[in-house]
Amino acid sequence: MSFAELCVTTNFSFLRSGSHPEEMVETAQALGLAGLGVADRNTLAGAVRAHVMARQLGVRLLVGARLAFRDGTPDLIAYPKDRAGFAHLTRLLTVGNRRAPKGECWLDFADYLACAEGLQTILVPAFALGEDPEPISGRLRDIQRACGQVWLAAPFQFNGEDGRRIGLLKRVAAQTGARLIATTEPLMHCGERRALLDVLTCIREKKKLCEAGALLAKNAERQLKPPAEIRRLFASAPEAVEESLRFMEGVGFSMDDLRYEYPEETAEGFADPQAALAHLARNGLKTRYPQGVPQAVADTLER
């Protein structure tokens, strides 16, 4: 009856979730989930809090990012398999942040392909029933060529069309070689947070609650669910539930793998970097205070 929820969004995805990373981890343990994947929107900001709580509670945690693109590519959830993969993911996010205004991240699919090595990736489909799934199929094939394997999320949306949608996604997966993976894309650790989620949505969209309409959550189902309930929901695709465990087995990276490494500094012509720093700082004082350095400033520098 095991299941790992790998498409979790926390409140570190600004104004898009009603729960803290710690709450998601605690609830995952209480529900008996085999693992949890925290993937916030174009950021790793919530990873440390989730990791600390997961380590305390003994929860298997995957740390990744939900990549949102400006070129129409569906969201990708990327998890590094090892430390090298983590370096590629952080480099990708740096590319998107450096080219965008503060608070935004501008990514294109080509950026992802350039940094895809060492990443396990889940494509989250955005097309509606009746639309041509071929663009999704093309992206899946591109990812497969870059990474060797790709996963296709089968989000259960509780809108009456889940049976048809999952059937369509199963066919797309079979045609492209992608592996189908079950999820409810949780935005909350429990359903009681729906009211908060609606308020956050209104703030993000700059709408009054009475004006938000279809922008609001349709129900309170985008919460973490126990394995037995996931098995029931995906009775027509049990392989998608099992795939969550296989996906988790392929990810060996943990935040514990990271070690702080202070960069080497240039000290040419000096005994060591500290001597170089002192020399440059004292020269800077002369430039900043050409009429003489105030004693208080000189004392501060020496201290």
Side-chain angles (χ1 to χ4, degrees), residues 7-135:
C7 302
V8 170
T9 299
T10 79
N11 67 315
F12 279 83
S13 295
F14 190 54
L15 299 177
R16 295 177 184 276
S17 168
S19 296
H20 297 284
E22 299 93 330
E23 293 173 320
M24 291 292 197
V25 174
E26 289 172 339
T27 303
Q29 185 206 41
L31 294 176
L33 294 181
L36 188 73
V38 171
D40 282 311
R41 183 183 174 87
N42 290 341
T43 185
L44 291 161
V48 173
R49 291 191 181 186
H51 171 69
V52 170
M53 182 58 69
R55 188 166 55 181
Q56 291 176 2
L57 300 179
V59 173
R60 174 79 164 89
L61 178 71
L62 275 61
V63 171
R66 183 173 184 133
L67 306 174
F69 298 89
R70 63 177 180 173
D71 61 3
T73 299
D75 287 1
L76 303 179
I77 296 179
Y79 289 104
K81 295 189 286 187
D82 49 30
R83 186 171 175 178
F86 183 78
H88 293 152
L89 179 58
T90 54
R91 185 176 299 119
L92 172 62
L93 294 174
T94 298
V95 167
N97 282 300
R98 290 184 66 181
R99 69 158 62 113
K102 183 175 175 60
E104 297 188 45
C105 183
W106 291 351
L107 289 174
D108 298 320
F109 186 60
D111 301 324
Y112 162 79
L113 292 178
C115 297
E117 184 180 356
L119 300 179
Q120 282 194 182
T121 304
I122 304 170
L123 185 147
V124 183
F127 67 90
L129 286 171
E131 293 183 6
D132 182 8
E134 183 53 36

Side-chain angles (χ1 to χ4, degrees), residues 83 257-265:
R83 186 171 175 178
D257 297 337
L258 301 180
R259 295 291 182 272
Y260 182 69
E261 297 176 2
Y262 193 81
E264 293 184 9
E265 298 184 21

Side-chain angles (χ1 to χ4, degrees), residues 170-214:
K170 288 177 70 172
R171 291 193 293 274
V172 171
Q175 292 166 3
T176 60
R179 298 180 180 179
L180 202 65
I181 197 163
T183 180
T184 59
E185 291 190 276
L187 301 175
M188 309 167 283
H189 72 288
C190 66
E192 285 74 12
R193 290 291 174 87
R194 180 188 172 182
L196 173 61
L197 185 62
D198 285 346
V199 171
L200 294 172
T201 300
C202 288
I203 295 172
R204 185 184 76 237
E205 301 294 337
K206 298 179 174 57
K207 299 281 188 181
K208 294 181 180 179
L209 193 61
C210 60
E211 301 170 344

Side-chain angles (χ1 to χ4, degrees), residues 114-284:
C115 297
E117 184 180 356
L119 300 179
Q120 282 194 182
T121 304
I122 304 170
L123 185 147
V124 183
F127 67 90
L129 286 171
E131 293 183 6
D132 182 8
E134 183 53 36
I136 299 294
S137 299
R139 288 292 192 236
L140 288 170
R141 294 186 182 100
D142 290 339
I143 297 169
Q144 194 169 41
R145 282 191 290 268
C147 302
Q149 184 58 62
V150 63
W151 284 260
L152 176 62
F156 205 96
Q157 299 177 348
F158 302 91
N159 60 1
E161 297 289 349
D162 289 297
R164 292 176 59 203
R165 185 185 306 103
I166 291 173
L168 174 60
L169 293 174
K170 288 177 70 172
R171 291 193 293 274
V172 171
Q175 292 166 3
T176 60
R179 298 180 180 179
L180 202 65
I181 197 163
T183 180
T184 59
E185 291 190 276
L187 301 175
M188 309 167 283
H189 72 288
C190 66
E192 285 74 12
R193 290 291 174 87
R194 180 188 172 182
L196 173 61
L197 185 62
D198 285 346
V199 171
L200 294 172
T201 300
C202 288
I203 295 172
R204 185 184 76 237
E205 301 294 337
K206 298 179 174 57
K207 299 281 188 181
K208 294 181 180 179
L209 193 61
C210 60
E211 301 170 344
L215 295 172
L216 303 178
K218 298 178 178 61
N219 49 54
E221 297 292 349
R222 291 189 67 176
Q223 58 177 298
L224 289 173
K225 295 183 180 295
E229 176 64 4
I230 295 296
R231 294 275 180 176
R232 184 186 71 81
L233 295 174
F234 286 89
S236 64
E239 70 279 7
V241 181
E242 296 292 341
E243 194 59 42
S244 70
L245 305 178
R246 287 190 286 270
F247 184 98
M248 188 171 60
E249 290 172 359
V251 177
F253 174 77
S254 165
M255 294 295 285
D256 286 329
D257 297 337
L258 301 180
R259 295 291 182 272
Y260 182 69
E261 297 176 2
Y262 193 81
E264 293 184 9
E265 298 184 21
T266 301
E268 186 175 351
F270 299 93
D272 53 42
Q274 177 62 33
L277 172 64
H279 173 79
L280 293 170
R282 290 182 180 121
N283 282 350

